[in-house]
Amino acid sequence: MSKKLDPVTQAIRIQTPRTSQKEHSTPLYLTSSFIFEEAEAMRSAFADESDDNIYSRFSNPNVDEFIAKMCALEGAEAGFATSTGMSAIFSSMFALLKQGDHLICCSSVFGSTYTLVTKYLQRFGIESTLVSARDNAAWEAAVKPNTKMVYLETPTNPQLELIDLEWVGQFAKKHQLILNVDNCFATPLLQRPIDFGADLVVHSATKWIDGQGRVLGGVIVGRADLVNDIYLFCRNTGPSLSPFNAWILSKSLETLDVRMQRHCENALHLAQALQHNPHVFWVKYPFLPDHPQFEIAKKQMKAGGGVFCIELKGGLEAGRKFLDSLELLTVTANLGDSRSIASHPASTTHSKLTDTERRAVGITPGLIRISAGLEKAADILADIEQALEKSAV
Ligand SMILES: *Cc1c(COP(=O)(O)O)cnc(C)c1O
């Protein structure tokens, strides 16, 4: 076809070459290694003179199909798929940074990313400075002669703060830093960091990309030269994605566009409705006009995403009661599922911290994070409303 296909169509139509069985849907290539008819063919594969598959730690047709679709969606030159989001984040840092290098990292990042940066990078002599999402001057002040990479998420979890991608893209370019963006919360359907100058985009495919709470997976896409270094690191250290999970995730990408539309519609509808609830102090969602960074959201996102937060007037105790009163929504340590999920960080994931420590990372006592599923919005809203009623103290 002469016309270049839209990325959404590519995510549906990119496919491994059909086998002699002429299957319509991609078969599962559940094999650890691949056969060579001649020693010469094996030599040339190992010498990188051919694209033949050798061993599934290096490449596999299901994994290649998944990553080709992700490259199309993100507008990236190359990519590599990993076993989890964390192995993608870990590999994107450890493959490119060395002892003596410095990383600037947004202070509100996913919990394990925070531990990776503050505890493990340091152990290998890689320095880091954490900067607040909304303080542009702090990012400028953090630049040092040995700074090599900038790492961030937007929207952040669970505070839903935004980082202006246009601004940070120019910032990274000016200082010649590798810009590495975790695009898990938005997905490429809502936001494409590469269009704003990101060099690398990482994902937890476990969330919206799978979208049904079945498998773990990770993605790294971006500039070909950087991805090649990451590929060589991964090929030798082993965080590869399994063919089965890649097969699932590749099928998931065929429906990502329609799913994200419904997730975003539901999230916006619920966020708007709950703004008027007597038990709710405030609602935070990037596409509500009273979000402090609404203008940035409109500039860089096509819709507000599937996650919103509410602050309960009753605080900590109300949050606990709210979780216990839910009948439809699930209480589970995940997000980005077809089933709506609620979490109350203060009484669960962050319960070991003191109130002051929690507030320092943006976790207020009555903060509830909702991941809007694909159920009918009226059913989700009715469950949230009855739980709010019961949680009132
Ligand atoms: C879940 C998550 C991760 C980690 O992904 P895993 O697949 O669980 O390893 C990283 N970043 C963000 C924003 C996440 O939500």
Side-chain angles (χ1 to χ4, degrees):
M1 228 186 298
S2 53
K3 186 179 173 291
K4 193 164 169 4
L5 296 171
D6 187 278
V8 168
T9 307
Q10 292 186 55
I12 295 168
R13 282 292 176 174
I14 287 174
Q15 197 166 355
T16 57
R18 298 217 161 88
T19 70
S20 58
Q21 299 300 317
K22 301 207 186 311
E23 66 281 348
H24 187 207
S25 182
T26 302
L28 175 54
Y29 291 87
L30 210 49
T31 179
S32 339
S33 64
F34 300 83
I35 294 171
F36 292 95
E37 302 288 350
E38 293 158 5
E40 171 52 24
M42 193 161 183
R43 184 207 61 79
S44 78
F46 269 95
D48 287 330
E49 292 165 12
S50 80
D51 289 336
D52 289 348
N53 291 303
I54 301 172
Y55 191 60
S56 286
R57 170 153 44 81
F58 310 170
S59 67
N60 171 283
N62 292 120
V63 178
D64 289 351
E65 182 186 282
F66 169 57
I67 207 71
K69 291 178 175 187
M70 283 304 301
C71 287
L73 287 170
E74 289 285 6
E77 292 171 358
F80 190 77
T82 61
S83 55
T84 64
M86 282 322 301
S87 59
I89 295 166
F90 169 81
S91 302
S92 73
M93 292 178 180
F94 272 73
L96 300 176
L97 300 174
K98 60 180 191 314
Q99 188 177 18
D101 285 342
H102 174 246
L103 168 82
I104 299 176
C105 180
C106 178
S107 53
S108 39
V109 285
F110 184 69
S112 294
T113 307
Y114 186 88
T115 306
L116 170 67
V117 168
T118 54
K119 186 169 171 193
Y120 296 104
L121 279 181
Q122 235 180 34
R123 196 185 276 183
F124 292 88
I126 300 160
E127 292 178 67
S128 56
T129 305
L130 297 174
V131 290
S132 156
R134 294 177 58 190
D135 186 355
N136 291 0
W139 292 69
E140 286 285 356
V143 179
K144 300 195 211 182
N146 57 340
T147 307
K148 197 152 172 210
M149 183 183 281
V150 181
Y151 182 89
L152 60 94
E153 291 167 20
T154 178
T156 65
N157 177 19
Q159 302 87 346
L160 301 176
E161 287 187 341
L162 304 180
I163 292 166
D164 185 338
L165 286 172
E166 188 182 8
W167 180 85
V168 85
Q170 287 163 2
F171 164 79
K173 194 169 181 202
K174 182 170 85 183
H175 298 288
Q176 295 184 314
L177 309 174
I178 298 167
L179 178 57
N180 188 356
V181 177
D182 180 338
N183 201 27
C184 171
F185 260 51
T187 83
L189 272 310
L190 308 185
Q191 163 179 291
R192 299 215 311 179
I194 290 172
D195 295 344
F196 296 95
D199 302 291
L200 291 172
V201 171
V202 292
H203 277 280
S204 168
T206 315
K207 313 293 167 55
W208 305 104
I209 290 176
D210 171 34
Q212 288 148 85
R214 300 166 296 186
V215 298
L216 303 180
V219 171
I220 308 161
V221 295
R223 247 170 61 192
D225 58 329
L226 299 176
V227 170
N228 190 51
D229 286 348
I230 295 167
Y231 163 69
L232 292 173
F233 177 83
C234 291
R235 172 174 164 152
N236 290 297
T237 53
S240 320
L241 182 64
S242 82
F244 179 75
N245 286 9
W247 181 80
I248 294 269
L249 292 169
S250 184
K251 292 306 272 178
S252 295
L253 287 182
E254 296 178 16
T255 56
L256 184 63
D257 183 42
V258 285
R259 285 188 287 111
M260 287 314 291
Q261 284 177 31
R262 173 67 85 88
H263 284 299
C264 295
E265 263 170 41
N266 278 355
L268 179 63
H269 175 81
L270 296 166
Q272 283 170 337
L274 292 168
Q275 277 186 309
H276 311 292
N277 188 288
H279 307 296
V280 173
F281 197 31
W282 48 252
V283 180
K284 199 163 183 191
Y285 183 65
F287 265 44
L288 284 183
D290 70 352
H291 186 287
Q293 295 165 297
F294 179 61
E295 291 310 318
I296 295 176
K298 285 280 188 188
K299 185 174 72 170
Q300 65 195 30
M301 298 175 78
K302 287 203 188 94
V307 177
F308 66 94
C309 292
I310 56 180
E311 177 73 18
L312 305 188
K313 285 186 183 159
L316 190 75
E317 202 38 47
R320 207 191 306 264
K321 279 193 189 166
F322 176 81
L323 287 194
D324 289 344
S325 307
L326 290 167
E327 292 168 11
L328 178 70
L329 274 75
T330 331
V331 178
T332 184
N334 199 9
L335 59 89
D337 196 296
S338 52
R339 296 158 290 181
S340 296
I341 295 168
S343 67
H344 178 229
S347 75
T348 56
T349 48
H350 292 68
S351 60
K352 281 197 201 127
L353 307 185
T354 65
D355 190 51
T356 317
E357 285 170 337
R358 278 197 292 265
R359 282 179 194 277
V361 289
I363 311 277
T364 41
L367 184 77
I368 301 281
R369 186 189 71 191
I370 308 272
S371 168
L374 301 176
E375 305 97 334
K376 283 288 179 189
D379 289 331
I380 312 171
L381 183 62
D383 191 40
I384 295 175
E385 284 175 340
Q386 67 79 24
L388 284 171
E389 212 48 60
K390 289 187 189 140
S391 73
V393 280

